[in-house]
Amino acid sequence: MMGDYGKGSGPPHFDGKNYQMWEAQMGVFLHGVGQLLWDVTVDTNYVIPDNFLLPGSRDLFDANSKAVDYLYRALCAFEFEQVYGEKLACKVWE
């Protein structure tokens, strides 16, 4: 059910209908979980680093992983199959 995220039940569910409403709710959800999750989700230039020596690279990697997890869990089976295996939150979001 869309909008249940305020009750602590996880991200809003996308069943393939009313994408605009889900997109708005999911954006608010990711912002609420952590600004870095939202930032990495909309950053089309983000790439998974080869190493974590650069300052902040581990934080971005963790944020991307969490954002992908939330996005995957929000999708119905059909929508999930369209993005399964994608490792970048921005690609799942697209």
Side-chain angles (χ1 to χ4, degrees), residues 46-62:
Y46 176 74
V47 293
I48 295 173
D50 293 330
N51 64 59
F52 297 102
L53 298 176
L54 294 174
S57 62
R58 173 67 68 183
D59 292 337
L60 285 171
F61 176 80
D62 290 345

Side-chain angles (χ1 to χ4, degrees), residues 32-68:
V33 174
Q35 182 64 42
L36 202 52
L37 272 72
W38 176 248
D39 292 345
V40 77
T41 298
V42 296
D43 182 358
T44 58
N45 294 314
Y46 176 74
V47 293
I48 295 173
D50 293 330
N51 64 59
F52 297 102
L53 298 176
L54 294 174
S57 62
R58 173 67 68 183
D59 292 337
L60 285 171
F61 176 80
D62 290 345
N64 179 72
S65 297
K66 289 176 186 176
V68 169

Side-chain angles (χ1 to χ4, degrees), residues 67-82:
V68 169
D69 175 50
Y70 283 127
L71 289 164
Y72 274 3
R73 289 193 286 144
L75 301 175
C76 67
F78 176 79
E79 298 297 334
F80 175 79
E81 289 174 9
Q82 308 306 306

